[in-house]
Amino acid sequence: MKGAKAGAQMTGAEMVIRALLDQGVDTIFGYPGGAVLPIYDALFQQNELQHILVRHEQGATHSAEGYARSTGKVGVVLVTSGPGATNAVTGMVDALMDSIPLVVITGQVPTHLIGSDAFQECDTVGITRAATKHNYLVKSVEELPRILHEAFYVARSGRPGPVLVDIPKDIQFAAGLYTGPDHVEHRTYKPRVEGDEAKIREAVELMANAKRPVFYTGGGVINSGTKASEALRELVRLTGFPITSTLMGLGAYPHSDRQWLGMLGMHGTWEANHTMHDCDVMICLGARFDDRVTGRVDAFSPGSKKIHVDIDPSSINKIVKADIPIIGDVGNVIQAMIRIWKAEKKKADKTALDAWWKQIDRWRARKSLNYTNSKSVIKPQYAVQRLYELTKGPNTYITTEVGQHQMWAAQYYGFEEPNRWMTSGGLGTMGYGLPAALGVQVAHPDALVCCIAGEASVLMNMQEMSTAAQHRLPVKIFILNNEYMGMVRQWQQLLHGSRYSQSYSEALPDFVKLAEAYGGYGIRCEDPAELDAKIKEMIEVDAPVLFDCRVEKVENCFPMIPSGKAHNDMILGDAAAAEDIGSVISEEGKVLV
């Protein structure tokens, strides 16, 4: 295998390894089984590819997502047929929703047994058709190299996403000529990466004449690469416009900058959502108008002209009509906007922009992320703030599980750089954070990797602590333990008359003992006065850590846009300033506007 080149004779299994190496892959996440044993045998006979053995195939896909999102590379998964493939489906859908490039290689029963209900057979291509950007069933060893290289091209180009390659076992044994990755492309998939110049000029003209503009950015900016984030920062500072972001876009613009309004959407800031609602020009860059951002679509930013830049044509006009649609790579379009703005010596309307910033500052004065702290019990917001202060830096990476803790992490952990924030956005997958953290740690062995978790979510893939122990991955799992499925409980309180149906986390394990059982390190903290010291202890431990942070059990996550409401119809926490905007106080003591 070592040194094998294009044109060499090799087995299908050897082609898989060679193709991965030729694509620049250094790590794969997987779990062996009968239908992929030839590939695992080829893997055994080389030492260039690192294999991370997970404990469940869903863990493999989430780990590959964490690896991909923190590096910008394609994540690679190798699993067996039948249950191996079906266990990986959740991770593939997660990657599809969040535009994460993955190549998932699955084994399949021998060609002559397909359709016979053979042992561990399933229609993997049929099952994953809606779960992937594209998928393949390999029918001959001759086409295997082309398909493998094509899979990487499709996964990483255009709007990134997961691609599945299903390889029957007889094709893994068969021999043929290996062909390299030179000039690989899909014959019909040729995404447009340069935006239409005339449309971009029209957009720049609209921006220059705006009175109340705002940039609305998403994960597409991060997917476009670090140069896109750098260009975004230049454009925002050049124009002087305010900027907000989706959950997936955090880090593309520094949270410490004055022009940053915080995250928008269901649990976004008061100023971000009201700026979006009242703006006259919205510049949407690499976001898709998700329902968690828009609230009621018919009431979303009703008076604005909308510029929408996206590399995926199907996202344009899908949910919200764009006045100026621009199809292309968002990084390229931003750079073109900067070039045109400078060349034509455009300037924002300073008088109007000053008035707009004064209004935004009035919204900021509501201090919508304020909360009432406590000296007797750890507030979850305070726990995230202290974690941020003690871990922040360019070599720290954060993953999350899904729920209240995820939103508190987005609100209170500030990101200055892209690719430091890994969370499940579109699918909202409980069980994502721990395996994703493993993938990040593999990619960045010297980094501090923390997973902000809930006690319910983290149990969904807790078996991956064994993976962390085996591969000596010192991830820090910071559990905000409120003994509830927190977001479910919050919705039940606010929308279902406080009928807490099955949302109490009963029979929880002792997380300290559980960490030790896995060969890790356990910490428990209940006293706010001890929190800093114990976080420092967590950081210093060179081992996987489960940190059981016991927090206020019934704290709610605010601000919040209630289901079915407009995006400026928000509930605030009781510590947020009411100021002079007409407000009423609900029975629960929350400011309801």
Side-chain angles (χ1 to χ4, degrees):
M1 171 76 58
K2 190 172 178 60
K5 297 180 180 178
Q9 188 86 2
M10 60 182 77
T11 67
E14 291 170 335
M15 289 179 183
V16 171
I17 304 302
R18 185 70 257 163
L20 295 180
L21 293 171
D22 284 348
Q23 289 291 337
V25 177
D26 53 29
T27 304
I28 59 177
F29 301 87
Y31 200 97
V36 282
L37 287 184
I39 299 174
Y40 271 90
D41 190 52
L43 186 66
F44 183 84
Q45 297 180 61
Q46 59 84 51
N47 56 15
E48 296 173 84
L49 269 180
Q50 174 183 211
H51 179 276
I52 302 298
L53 178 65
V54 297
R55 298 309 188 264
H56 189 282
E57 291 86 356
Q58 183 183 350
T61 48
H62 293 327
S63 292
E65 284 187 275
Y67 179 96
R69 292 179 67 171
S70 66
T71 63
K73 299 178 181 178
V74 177
V76 180
V77 175
L78 175 60
V79 297
T80 195
S81 64
T86 59
N87 282 346
V89 167
T90 296
M92 285 187 268
V93 180
D94 192 274
L96 183 68
M97 293 282 280
D98 287 346
S99 305
I100 309 304
L102 297 186
V103 169
V104 180
I105 298 169
T106 56
Q108 183 56 274
V109 300
T111 306
H112 69 278
L113 290 179
I114 292 176
S116 69
D117 293 332
F119 178 67
Q120 291 194 331
E121 182 196 359
C122 73
D123 179 8
T124 303
V125 167
I127 289 169
T128 62
R129 188 164 285 120
T132 56
K133 183 177 177 182
H134 193 56
N135 61 16
Y136 301 85
L137 172 63
V138 181
K139 297 178 181 178
S140 70
V141 73
E142 288 77 18
E143 68 178 0
L144 177 58
R146 173 188 62 80
I147 287 175
L148 289 166
H149 297 310
E150 211 174 83
F152 278 86
Y153 168 78
V154 173
R156 67 164 67 99
S157 60
R159 179 180 176 178
V163 177
L164 177 130
V165 181
D166 196 33
I167 312 175
K169 191 170 184 178
D170 57 321
I171 291 172
Q172 297 171 42
F173 279 122
L177 293 178
Y178 174 72
T179 54
D182 297 338
H183 310 297
V184 169
E185 60 179 31
H186 193 279
R187 61 187 176 85
T188 59
Y189 181 62
K190 300 181 188 298
R192 181 174 180 175
V193 295
E194 300 295 337
D196 180 87
E197 183 84 2
K199 290 285 186 185
I200 297 173
R201 289 184 180 278
E202 186 181 350
V204 168
E205 186 67 24
L206 184 61
M207 289 160 59
N209 290 307
K211 308 299 182 186
R212 302 183 308 280
V214 65
F215 285 107
Y216 155 39
T217 63
V221 178
I222 292 173
N223 286 342
S224 186
T226 55
K227 288 185 178 179
S229 294
E230 291 167 2
L232 173 67
R233 295 166 191 227
E234 182 180 355
L235 180 61
V236 172
R237 288 163 185 161
L238 192 64
T239 59
F241 295 175
I243 177 172
T244 181
S245 164
T246 66
L247 179 73
M248 299 302 296
L250 297 178
Y253 194 84
H255 94 288
S256 59
D257 191 90
R258 186 187 178 276
Q259 288 171 252
W260 172 245
L261 304 182
M263 182 179 73
L264 81 162
M266 180 171 280
H267 293 286
T269 65
W270 181 271
E271 55 267 30
N273 283 326
H274 279 77
T275 299
M276 287 283 283
H277 184 269
D278 284 9
C279 72
D280 70 338
V281 174
M282 179 191 302
I283 309 104
C284 177
L285 303 172
R288 58 186 177 87
F289 294 99
D290 179 79
D291 64 286
R292 294 292 163 123
V293 165
T294 63
R296 257 183 42 224
V297 174
D298 63 351
F300 178 69
S301 193
S304 67
K305 295 286 187 181
K306 298 172 181 68
I307 301 163
H308 189 188
V309 181
D310 205 294
I311 200 165
D312 181 5
S314 71
S315 291
I316 302 287
N317 294 325
K318 182 177 182 179
I319 297 169
V320 171
K321 184 182 183 302
D323 296 281
I324 304 178
I326 302 173
I327 299 168
D329 180 274
V330 69
N332 293 340
V333 174
I334 293 172
Q335 289 172 354
M337 286 178 165
I338 293 170
R339 171 175 51 80
I340 294 168
W341 186 279
K342 288 180 175 179
E344 298 186 0
K345 298 181 180 180
K346 296 291 187 184
K347 292 189 181 299
D349 183 332
K350 187 176 185 304
T351 302
L353 197 57
D354 286 347
W356 183 224
W357 273 112
K358 286 179 182 177
Q359 174 58 65
I360 291 170
D361 286 340
R362 285 194 288 272
W363 287 324
R364 273 180 168 160
R366 297 295 297 269
K367 298 180 181 178
S368 61
L369 294 182
N370 274 12
Y371 62 93
T372 304
N373 206 0
S374 169
K375 292 184 178 179
S376 59
V377 63
I378 299 172
K379 292 287 186 172
Q381 304 95 319
Y382 178 73
V384 175
Q385 284 182 315
R386 296 315 303 154
L387 181 71
Y388 166 65
E389 291 297 336
L390 295 169
T391 63
K392 63 182 177 182
N395 206 32
T396 298
Y397 295 78
I398 301 296
T399 74
T400 77
E401 297 290 345
V402 168
Q404 284 180 316
H405 61 274
Q406 176 190 28
M407 295 299 106
W408 283 317
Q411 291 171 337
Y412 297 100
Y413 200 104
F415 295 93
E416 298 290 315
E417 301 294 335
N419 305 106
R420 303 304 193 276
W421 164 250
M422 276 60 62
T423 195
S424 175
L427 194 61
T429 306
M430 295 173 72
Y432 169 90
L434 195 166
L438 300 183
V440 176
Q441 192 75 77
V442 169
H444 307 277
D446 298 323
L448 175 62
V449 181
C450 297
C451 170
I452 299 174
E455 84 292 335
S457 267
V458 78
L459 287 175
M460 290 233 173
N461 274 314
M462 180 55 75
Q463 76 284 340
E464 300 308 326
M465 277 294 287
S466 184
T467 304
Q470 177 184 340
H471 296 282
R472 299 180 181 177
L473 302 171
V475 294
K476 318 302 181 188
I477 313 302
F478 190 73
I479 304 169
L480 301 182
N481 185 351
N482 57 14
E483 298 183 1
Y484 276 101
M485 299 173 202
M487 195 62 83
V488 173
R489 184 209 57 76
Q490 177 170 334
W491 281 52
Q492 288 174 333
Q493 177 191 339
L494 298 177
L495 304 174
H496 298 279
S498 297
R499 292 181 292 278
Y500 301 125
S501 177
Q502 303 298 314
S503 56
Y504 182 63
S505 297
E506 296 189 67
L508 286 171
D510 181 324
F511 285 107
V512 172
K513 290 181 179 178
L514 186 60
E516 293 168 353
Y518 276 114
Y521 190 88
I523 299 173
R524 180 179 296 112
C525 186
E526 300 180 55
D527 186 348
E530 298 177 353
L531 185 59
D532 279 19
K534 292 197 172 183
I535 290 175
K536 290 175 183 176
E537 179 186 353
M538 175 189 77
I539 295 167
E540 291 166 3
V541 172
D542 186 23
V545 176
L546 290 182
F547 189 118
D548 185 7
C549 187
R550 300 294 183 91
V551 299
E552 169 66 57
K553 292 185 180 183
V554 292
E555 189 78 5
N556 284 332
C557 183
F558 293 116
M560 176 183 175
I561 301 170
S563 180
K565 298 293 185 179
H567 69 133
N568 66 328
D569 192 357
M570 303 173 68
I571 302 174
L572 295 182
D574 55 6
E579 288 296 316
D580 59 350
I581 303 175
S583 305
V584 296
I585 307 298
S586 69
E587 292 180 2
E588 292 81 15
K590 307 304 177 188
V591 180
L592 181 60
V593 177

